[in-house]
Amino acid sequence: MNWLWAIVVGLILGVIARALLPGKQAIPLWLTCVYGILGGLLGNAVAGWIGVRHTGGFDWIRHLLQLAGAVVIVALGTPLWHSIRGGGRRRSVT
């Protein structure tokens, strides 16, 4: 059941990250979910490094770090996705 929870949280983080970034991120929903999962993992790692991974009550700092990680991953991953998929190709009009 942990993998299902990771997918749901990753999707939520990815969608929020896309909403926070300016402009349109034309990436598919599955990639938004993957970027959100990766951002959550990055945020958890940073929270562990600074010593706030496990605290009493609701872990606001950890969740904010997860969201920040998702924003960074979406911001860096979207141009990479477009360069791989050829989104920057120009069509010649004749």
Short mmCIF file of all heavy atoms in Angstrom, two decimals, residues 23-84:
data_model
loop_
_atom_site.label_atom_id
_atom_site.label_comp_id
_atom_site.label_asym_id
_atom_site.label_seq_id
_atom_site.Cartn_x
_atom_site.Cartn_y
_atom_site.Cartn_z
N GLY A 23 3.86 30.23 -16.13
CA GLY A 23 3.79 29.67 -17.48
C GLY A 23 3.13 28.31 -17.48
O GLY A 23 2.67 27.81 -16.46
N LYS A 24 3.10 27.72 -18.67
CA LYS A 24 2.46 26.42 -18.83
C LYS A 24 3.53 25.33 -18.89
O LYS A 24 4.48 25.44 -19.65
CB LYS A 24 1.63 26.40 -20.11
CG LYS A 24 0.91 25.10 -20.31
CD LYS A 24 0.08 25.11 -21.56
CE LYS A 24 -0.59 23.76 -21.69
NZ LYS A 24 -1.30 23.61 -22.93
N GLN A 25 3.36 24.30 -18.10
CA GLN A 25 4.23 23.14 -18.16
C GLN A 25 3.48 22.06 -18.93
O GLN A 25 2.62 21.38 -18.37
CB GLN A 25 4.60 22.63 -16.76
CG GLN A 25 5.50 23.56 -15.97
CD GLN A 25 4.77 24.74 -15.41
OE1 GLN A 25 3.64 24.62 -15.00
NE2 GLN A 25 5.40 25.89 -15.42
N ALA A 26 3.79 21.94 -20.19
CA ALA A 26 3.09 20.99 -21.05
C ALA A 26 3.74 19.61 -20.93
O ALA A 26 4.44 19.14 -21.82
CB ALA A 26 3.10 21.47 -22.49
N ILE A 27 3.51 18.98 -19.79
CA ILE A 27 4.01 17.62 -19.56
C ILE A 27 2.81 16.74 -19.25
O ILE A 27 1.81 17.22 -18.73
CB ILE A 27 5.06 17.58 -18.42
CG1 ILE A 27 4.50 18.14 -17.12
CG2 ILE A 27 6.33 18.29 -18.82
CD1 ILE A 27 5.44 18.02 -15.93
N PRO A 28 2.90 15.46 -19.58
CA PRO A 28 1.76 14.58 -19.30
C PRO A 28 1.54 14.37 -17.80
O PRO A 28 2.43 14.60 -16.98
CB PRO A 28 2.14 13.27 -19.99
CG PRO A 28 3.57 13.36 -20.33
CD PRO A 28 3.97 14.79 -20.28
N LEU A 29 0.34 13.91 -17.47
CA LEU A 29 -0.03 13.70 -16.07
C LEU A 29 0.85 12.66 -15.40
O LEU A 29 1.23 12.81 -14.24
CB LEU A 29 -1.51 13.31 -15.97
CG LEU A 29 -2.10 13.27 -14.57
CD1 LEU A 29 -2.02 14.62 -13.92
CD2 LEU A 29 -3.54 12.79 -14.63
N TRP A 30 1.21 11.61 -16.12
CA TRP A 30 2.05 10.57 -15.52
C TRP A 30 3.42 11.14 -15.16
O TRP A 30 4.01 10.77 -14.15
CB TRP A 30 2.18 9.34 -16.43
CG TRP A 30 2.92 9.58 -17.71
CD1 TRP A 30 2.38 9.92 -18.92
CD2 TRP A 30 4.33 9.50 -17.92
NE1 TRP A 30 3.37 10.06 -19.86
CE2 TRP A 30 4.58 9.80 -19.27
CE3 TRP A 30 5.41 9.22 -17.09
CZ2 TRP A 30 5.86 9.83 -19.82
CZ3 TRP A 30 6.69 9.24 -17.64
CH2 TRP A 30 6.90 9.53 -18.99
N LEU A 31 3.94 12.05 -15.99
CA LEU A 31 5.24 12.64 -15.71
C LEU A 31 5.14 13.63 -14.55
O LEU A 31 6.07 13.74 -13.75
CB LEU A 31 5.80 13.34 -16.96
CG LEU A 31 7.25 13.78 -16.90
CD1 LEU A 31 8.17 12.59 -16.62
CD2 LEU A 31 7.66 14.46 -18.18
N THR A 32 4.01 14.31 -14.43
CA THR A 32 3.76 15.17 -13.27
C THR A 32 3.83 14.35 -11.99
O THR A 32 4.43 14.76 -11.00
CB THR A 32 2.39 15.84 -13.39
OG1 THR A 32 2.35 16.62 -14.58
CG2 THR A 32 2.10 16.73 -12.20
N CYS A 33 3.23 13.16 -12.03
CA CYS A 33 3.25 12.26 -10.87
C CYS A 33 4.67 11.80 -10.55
O CYS A 33 5.09 11.80 -9.39
CB CYS A 33 2.33 11.08 -11.14
SG CYS A 33 2.14 9.97 -9.74
N VAL A 34 5.42 11.44 -11.58
CA VAL A 34 6.80 10.99 -11.37
C VAL A 34 7.65 12.13 -10.80
O VAL A 34 8.42 11.93 -9.85
CB VAL A 34 7.41 10.47 -12.69
CG1 VAL A 34 8.91 10.24 -12.58
CG2 VAL A 34 6.71 9.19 -13.12
N TYR A 35 7.50 13.33 -11.36
CA TYR A 35 8.24 14.48 -10.85
C TYR A 35 7.85 14.78 -9.39
O TYR A 35 8.70 15.15 -8.58
CB TYR A 35 8.00 15.73 -11.70
CG TYR A 35 8.69 15.73 -13.04
CD1 TYR A 35 8.37 16.66 -14.00
CD2 TYR A 35 9.68 14.80 -13.35
CE1 TYR A 35 9.00 16.69 -15.22
CE2 TYR A 35 10.31 14.82 -14.58
CZ TYR A 35 9.97 15.77 -15.51
OH TYR A 35 10.60 15.80 -16.72
N GLY A 36 6.58 14.63 -9.06
CA GLY A 36 6.14 14.84 -7.69
C GLY A 36 6.73 13.84 -6.73
O GLY A 36 7.13 14.17 -5.62
N ILE A 37 6.79 12.56 -7.17
CA ILE A 37 7.41 11.52 -6.33
C ILE A 37 8.89 11.82 -6.12
O ILE A 37 9.40 11.75 -5.00
CB ILE A 37 7.21 10.14 -6.96
CG1 ILE A 37 5.73 9.73 -6.90
CG2 ILE A 37 8.07 9.08 -6.27
CD1 ILE A 37 5.39 8.49 -7.70
N LEU A 38 9.58 12.19 -7.20
CA LEU A 38 11.00 12.52 -7.08
C LEU A 38 11.21 13.75 -6.19
O LEU A 38 12.15 13.79 -5.38
CB LEU A 38 11.61 12.75 -8.46
CG LEU A 38 11.72 11.53 -9.36
CD1 LEU A 38 12.20 11.93 -10.74
CD2 LEU A 38 12.64 10.49 -8.74
N GLY A 39 10.34 14.73 -6.31
CA GLY A 39 10.43 15.92 -5.45
C GLY A 39 10.18 15.58 -4.00
O GLY A 39 10.84 16.12 -3.11
N GLY A 40 9.24 14.67 -3.74
CA GLY A 40 8.99 14.23 -2.37
C GLY A 40 10.19 13.51 -1.79
O GLY A 40 10.54 13.71 -0.62
N LEU A 41 10.81 12.68 -2.59
CA LEU A 41 12.02 11.98 -2.13
C LEU A 41 13.15 12.96 -1.85
O LEU A 41 13.87 12.84 -0.86
CB LEU A 41 12.46 10.94 -3.16
CG LEU A 41 11.54 9.74 -3.32
CD1 LEU A 41 12.00 8.88 -4.51
CD2 LEU A 41 11.49 8.91 -2.06
N LEU A 42 13.29 13.95 -2.73
CA LEU A 42 14.33 14.97 -2.53
C LEU A 42 14.05 15.77 -1.26
O LEU A 42 14.96 16.01 -0.46
CB LEU A 42 14.38 15.91 -3.75
CG LEU A 42 15.36 17.07 -3.67
CD1 LEU A 42 16.79 16.56 -3.59
CD2 LEU A 42 15.18 17.98 -4.88
N GLY A 43 12.79 16.15 -1.05
CA GLY A 43 12.43 16.88 0.17
C GLY A 43 12.66 16.07 1.43
O GLY A 43 13.12 16.59 2.45
N ASN A 44 12.35 14.76 1.38
CA ASN A 44 12.61 13.90 2.53
C ASN A 44 14.10 13.79 2.82
O ASN A 44 14.52 13.77 3.98
CB ASN A 44 12.03 12.50 2.30
CG ASN A 44 10.57 12.43 2.63
OD1 ASN A 44 10.05 13.24 3.38
ND2 ASN A 44 9.90 11.45 2.07
N ALA A 45 14.90 13.72 1.76
CA ALA A 45 16.35 13.63 1.95
C ALA A 45 16.89 14.90 2.61
O ALA A 45 17.69 14.83 3.56
CB ALA A 45 17.05 13.39 0.62
N VAL A 46 16.45 16.05 2.12
CA VAL A 46 16.90 17.32 2.70
C VAL A 46 16.43 17.43 4.15
O VAL A 46 17.18 17.86 5.01
CB VAL A 46 16.40 18.51 1.85
CG1 VAL A 46 16.67 19.83 2.55
CG2 VAL A 46 17.05 18.50 0.47
N ALA A 47 15.19 17.01 4.42
CA ALA A 47 14.68 17.05 5.79
C ALA A 47 15.52 16.16 6.71
O ALA A 47 15.78 16.52 7.86
CB ALA A 47 13.22 16.61 5.83
N GLY A 48 15.95 15.01 6.22
CA GLY A 48 16.81 14.13 7.01
C GLY A 48 18.17 14.75 7.25
O GLY A 48 18.74 14.61 8.34
N TRP A 49 18.70 15.44 6.24
CA TRP A 49 20.01 16.06 6.37
C TRP A 49 20.02 17.19 7.39
O TRP A 49 21.02 17.40 8.08
CB TRP A 49 20.51 16.60 5.03
CG TRP A 49 20.81 15.53 4.03
CD1 TRP A 49 21.19 14.24 4.27
CD2 TRP A 49 20.73 15.65 2.62
NE1 TRP A 49 21.36 13.56 3.09
CE2 TRP A 49 21.08 14.40 2.05
CE3 TRP A 49 20.39 16.70 1.76
CZ2 TRP A 49 21.11 14.17 0.70
CZ3 TRP A 49 20.43 16.46 0.40
CH2 TRP A 49 20.79 15.22 -0.13
N ILE A 50 18.91 17.93 7.46
CA ILE A 50 18.89 19.05 8.42
C ILE A 50 18.24 18.66 9.74
O ILE A 50 18.15 19.49 10.63
CB ILE A 50 18.20 20.29 7.81
CG1 ILE A 50 16.72 20.03 7.51
CG2 ILE A 50 18.92 20.79 6.60
CD1 ILE A 50 15.96 21.28 7.09
N GLY A 51 17.81 17.42 9.86
CA GLY A 51 17.35 16.91 11.14
C GLY A 51 15.89 17.16 11.48
O GLY A 51 15.53 17.17 12.65
N VAL A 52 15.03 17.36 10.48
CA VAL A 52 13.62 17.60 10.76
C VAL A 52 12.72 16.54 10.11
O VAL A 52 11.54 16.77 9.92
CB VAL A 52 13.17 19.01 10.29
CG1 VAL A 52 13.86 20.09 11.09
CG2 VAL A 52 13.40 19.19 8.81
N ARG A 53 13.27 15.40 9.81
CA ARG A 53 12.48 14.38 9.13
C ARG A 53 11.39 13.81 10.02
O ARG A 53 10.26 13.62 9.59
CB ARG A 53 13.39 13.26 8.62
CG ARG A 53 12.61 12.25 7.81
CD ARG A 53 13.50 11.34 7.06
NE ARG A 53 12.66 10.43 6.28
CZ ARG A 53 13.10 9.56 5.46
NH1 ARG A 53 14.40 9.47 5.26
NH2 ARG A 53 12.31 8.78 4.80
N HIS A 54 11.71 13.51 11.27
CA HIS A 54 10.74 12.95 12.20
C HIS A 54 10.59 13.89 13.39
O HIS A 54 11.49 14.02 14.19
CB HIS A 54 11.18 11.57 12.68
CG HIS A 54 11.35 10.58 11.58
ND1 HIS A 54 10.29 10.08 10.87
CD2 HIS A 54 12.45 10.01 11.05
CE1 HIS A 54 10.73 9.24 9.95
NE2 HIS A 54 12.04 9.18 10.04
N THR A 55 9.45 14.53 13.45
CA THR A 55 9.16 15.41 14.57
C THR A 55 7.80 15.05 15.14
O THR A 55 7.04 14.32 14.53
CB THR A 55 9.14 16.89 14.12
OG1 THR A 55 8.13 17.06 13.13
CG2 THR A 55 10.48 17.34 13.57
N GLY A 56 7.50 15.56 16.30
CA GLY A 56 6.19 15.32 16.89
C GLY A 56 5.14 16.16 16.20
O GLY A 56 5.37 17.29 15.83
N GLY A 57 3.96 15.60 15.98
CA GLY A 57 2.89 16.35 15.33
C GLY A 57 3.02 16.31 13.81
O GLY A 57 3.62 15.43 13.22
N PHE A 58 2.46 17.32 13.19
CA PHE A 58 2.46 17.41 11.73
C PHE A 58 3.77 18.02 11.27
O PHE A 58 4.20 19.06 11.76
CB PHE A 58 1.27 18.28 11.28
CG PHE A 58 0.93 18.12 9.84
CD1 PHE A 58 0.33 16.97 9.38
CD2 PHE A 58 1.22 19.12 8.94
CE1 PHE A 58 0.00 16.81 8.05
CE2 PHE A 58 0.90 18.98 7.61
CZ PHE A 58 0.28 17.83 7.15
N ASP A 59 4.42 17.39 10.33
CA ASP A 59 5.75 17.79 9.87
C ASP A 59 5.65 18.87 8.78
O ASP A 59 5.87 18.61 7.61
CB ASP A 59 6.51 16.58 9.33
CG ASP A 59 6.78 15.54 10.39
OD1 ASP A 59 6.89 15.92 11.55
OD2 ASP A 59 6.89 14.36 10.03
N TRP A 60 5.35 20.10 9.18
CA TRP A 60 5.19 21.17 8.21
C TRP A 60 6.47 21.44 7.44
O TRP A 60 6.42 21.64 6.22
CB TRP A 60 4.74 22.46 8.91
CG TRP A 60 3.33 22.41 9.36
CD1 TRP A 60 2.88 22.26 10.64
CD2 TRP A 60 2.16 22.48 8.54
NE1 TRP A 60 1.51 22.24 10.66
CE2 TRP A 60 1.04 22.38 9.38
CE3 TRP A 60 1.96 22.62 7.17
CZ2 TRP A 60 -0.26 22.43 8.89
CZ3 TRP A 60 0.66 22.67 6.70
CH2 TRP A 60 -0.43 22.57 7.55
N ILE A 61 7.59 21.44 8.13
CA ILE A 61 8.86 21.75 7.46
C ILE A 61 9.18 20.67 6.42
O ILE A 61 9.57 20.99 5.30
CB ILE A 61 10.00 21.89 8.49
CG1 ILE A 61 9.72 23.09 9.39
CG2 ILE A 61 11.35 22.03 7.81
CD1 ILE A 61 10.66 23.22 10.56
N ARG A 62 8.98 19.41 6.79
CA ARG A 62 9.25 18.33 5.84
C ARG A 62 8.34 18.43 4.62
O ARG A 62 8.80 18.26 3.48
CB ARG A 62 9.07 16.97 6.52
CG ARG A 62 9.37 15.80 5.61
CD ARG A 62 9.35 14.49 6.38
NE ARG A 62 8.08 14.24 7.03
CZ ARG A 62 7.16 13.41 6.56
NH1 ARG A 62 7.37 12.73 5.46
NH2 ARG A 62 6.04 13.22 7.22
N HIS A 63 7.07 18.73 4.84
CA HIS A 63 6.14 18.83 3.71
C HIS A 63 6.46 20.03 2.83
O HIS A 63 6.33 19.95 1.60
CB HIS A 63 4.70 18.88 4.21
CG HIS A 63 4.28 17.61 4.88
ND1 HIS A 63 4.40 16.37 4.30
CD2 HIS A 63 3.76 17.40 6.11
CE1 HIS A 63 3.96 15.45 5.13
NE2 HIS A 63 3.57 16.05 6.25
N LEU A 64 6.87 21.13 3.41
CA LEU A 64 7.29 22.28 2.60
C LEU A 64 8.55 21.97 1.80
O LEU A 64 8.69 22.40 0.64
CB LEU A 64 7.49 23.50 3.48
CG LEU A 64 6.22 24.12 4.05
CD1 LEU A 64 6.56 25.24 5.03
CD2 LEU A 64 5.33 24.64 2.93
N LEU A 65 9.46 21.21 2.41
CA LEU A 65 10.66 20.80 1.67
C LEU A 65 10.31 19.84 0.53
O LEU A 65 10.92 19.90 -0.54
CB LEU A 65 11.67 20.15 2.62
CG LEU A 65 12.37 21.10 3.59
CD1 LEU A 65 13.16 20.32 4.63
CD2 LEU A 65 13.28 22.05 2.84
N GLN A 66 9.33 18.97 0.74
CA GLN A 66 8.88 18.08 -0.34
C GLN A 66 8.28 18.89 -1.48
O GLN A 66 8.55 18.61 -2.64
CB GLN A 66 7.84 17.09 0.19
CG GLN A 66 8.41 16.03 1.08
CD GLN A 66 7.33 15.16 1.69
OE1 GLN A 66 6.18 15.57 1.83
NE2 GLN A 66 7.70 13.95 2.07
N LEU A 67 7.48 19.88 -1.15
CA LEU A 67 6.88 20.72 -2.18
C LEU A 67 7.96 21.52 -2.92
O LEU A 67 7.93 21.63 -4.14
CB LEU A 67 5.85 21.67 -1.57
CG LEU A 67 5.14 22.59 -2.54
CD1 LEU A 67 4.42 21.80 -3.63
CD2 LEU A 67 4.18 23.50 -1.80
N ALA A 68 8.93 22.04 -2.19
CA ALA A 68 10.03 22.77 -2.82
C ALA A 68 10.82 21.84 -3.73
O ALA A 68 11.22 22.24 -4.84
CB ALA A 68 10.94 23.37 -1.75
N GLY A 69 11.04 20.60 -3.30
CA GLY A 69 11.73 19.63 -4.16
C GLY A 69 10.94 19.35 -5.42
O GLY A 69 11.50 19.25 -6.52
N ALA A 70 9.62 19.24 -5.31
CA ALA A 70 8.78 19.00 -6.48
C ALA A 70 8.82 20.19 -7.44
O ALA A 70 8.88 20.01 -8.66
CB ALA A 70 7.34 18.72 -6.05
N VAL A 71 8.83 21.41 -6.89
CA VAL A 71 8.92 22.60 -7.74
C VAL A 71 10.24 22.60 -8.51
O VAL A 71 10.27 22.87 -9.72
CB VAL A 71 8.75 23.89 -6.90
CG1 VAL A 71 9.12 25.12 -7.69
CG2 VAL A 71 7.33 24.01 -6.38
N VAL A 72 11.32 22.27 -7.83
CA VAL A 72 12.63 22.24 -8.49
C VAL A 72 12.66 21.16 -9.58
O VAL A 72 13.12 21.41 -10.70
CB VAL A 72 13.75 22.00 -7.45
CG1 VAL A 72 15.07 21.66 -8.12
CG2 VAL A 72 13.90 23.20 -6.54
N ILE A 73 12.15 19.97 -9.27
CA ILE A 73 12.16 18.88 -10.24
C ILE A 73 11.29 19.22 -11.45
O ILE A 73 11.69 18.98 -12.60
CB ILE A 73 11.70 17.56 -9.59
CG1 ILE A 73 12.66 17.14 -8.47
CG2 ILE A 73 11.54 16.46 -10.61
CD1 ILE A 73 14.03 16.73 -8.92
N VAL A 74 10.11 19.79 -11.23
CA VAL A 74 9.24 20.16 -12.36
C VAL A 74 9.90 21.27 -13.18
O VAL A 74 9.88 21.23 -14.41
CB VAL A 74 7.84 20.59 -11.86
CG1 VAL A 74 7.02 21.20 -12.98
CG2 VAL A 74 7.10 19.39 -11.28
N ALA A 75 10.50 22.24 -12.51
CA ALA A 75 11.14 23.35 -13.23
C ALA A 75 12.31 22.87 -14.07
O ALA A 75 12.53 23.36 -15.18
CB ALA A 75 11.60 24.42 -12.24
N LEU A 76 13.07 21.92 -13.56
CA LEU A 76 14.22 21.41 -14.31
C LEU A 76 13.83 20.32 -15.31
O LEU A 76 14.45 20.18 -16.36
CB LEU A 76 15.28 20.86 -13.35
CG LEU A 76 15.94 21.87 -12.42
CD1 LEU A 76 16.89 21.16 -11.46
CD2 LEU A 76 16.67 22.93 -13.21
N GLY A 77 12.82 19.54 -14.96
CA GLY A 77 12.44 18.41 -15.79
C GLY A 77 11.61 18.76 -17.01
O GLY A 77 11.68 18.08 -18.03
N THR A 78 10.82 19.83 -16.93
CA THR A 78 9.96 20.19 -18.06
C THR A 78 10.75 20.56 -19.31
O THR A 78 10.47 20.02 -20.39
CB THR A 78 9.00 21.33 -17.65
OG1 THR A 78 8.20 20.87 -16.56
CG2 THR A 78 8.10 21.73 -18.80
N PRO A 79 11.78 21.42 -19.23
CA PRO A 79 12.56 21.69 -20.44
C PRO A 79 13.30 20.45 -20.96
O PRO A 79 13.45 20.27 -22.16
CB PRO A 79 13.56 22.77 -20.02
CG PRO A 79 13.06 23.31 -18.74
CD PRO A 79 12.20 22.27 -18.12
N LEU A 80 13.73 19.61 -20.04
CA LEU A 80 14.39 18.38 -20.44
C LEU A 80 13.42 17.48 -21.21
O LEU A 80 13.77 16.90 -22.23
CB LEU A 80 14.93 17.65 -19.20
CG LEU A 80 15.65 16.34 -19.44
CD1 LEU A 80 16.90 16.56 -20.27
CD2 LEU A 80 16.00 15.68 -18.12
N TRP A 81 12.18 17.38 -20.73
CA TRP A 81 11.15 16.58 -21.39
C TRP A 81 10.91 17.11 -22.81
O TRP A 81 10.82 16.35 -23.76
CB TRP A 81 9.86 16.60 -20.58
CG TRP A 81 8.68 16.03 -21.28
CD1 TRP A 81 7.66 16.72 -21.85
CD2 TRP A 81 8.39 14.65 -21.52
NE1 TRP A 81 6.75 15.87 -22.40
CE2 TRP A 81 7.17 14.59 -22.21
CE3 TRP A 81 9.03 13.46 -21.20
CZ2 TRP A 81 6.59 13.39 -22.60
CZ3 TRP A 81 8.45 12.27 -21.58
CH2 TRP A 81 7.25 12.24 -22.27
N HIS A 82 10.85 18.44 -22.94
CA HIS A 82 10.60 19.02 -24.25
C HIS A 82 11.77 18.83 -25.20
O HIS A 82 11.57 18.64 -26.40
CB HIS A 82 10.23 20.50 -24.13
CG HIS A 82 8.88 20.71 -23.55
ND1 HIS A 82 7.73 20.33 -24.19
CD2 HIS A 82 8.50 21.23 -22.36
CE1 HIS A 82 6.68 20.62 -23.43
NE2 HIS A 82 7.12 21.16 -22.32
N SER A 83 12.97 18.86 -24.68
CA SER A 83 14.13 18.64 -25.55
C SER A 83 14.20 17.18 -26.01
O SER A 83 14.61 16.91 -27.13
CB SER A 83 15.42 19.06 -24.86
OG SER A 83 15.73 18.18 -23.79
N ILE A 84 13.79 16.27 -25.15
CA ILE A 84 13.78 14.85 -25.53
C ILE A 84 12.67 14.57 -26.52
O ILE A 84 12.86 13.85 -27.51
CB ILE A 84 13.64 13.96 -24.28
CG1 ILE A 84 14.90 14.04 -23.43
CG2 ILE A 84 13.32 12.52 -24.67
CD1 ILE A 84 14.78 13.37 -22.08
#
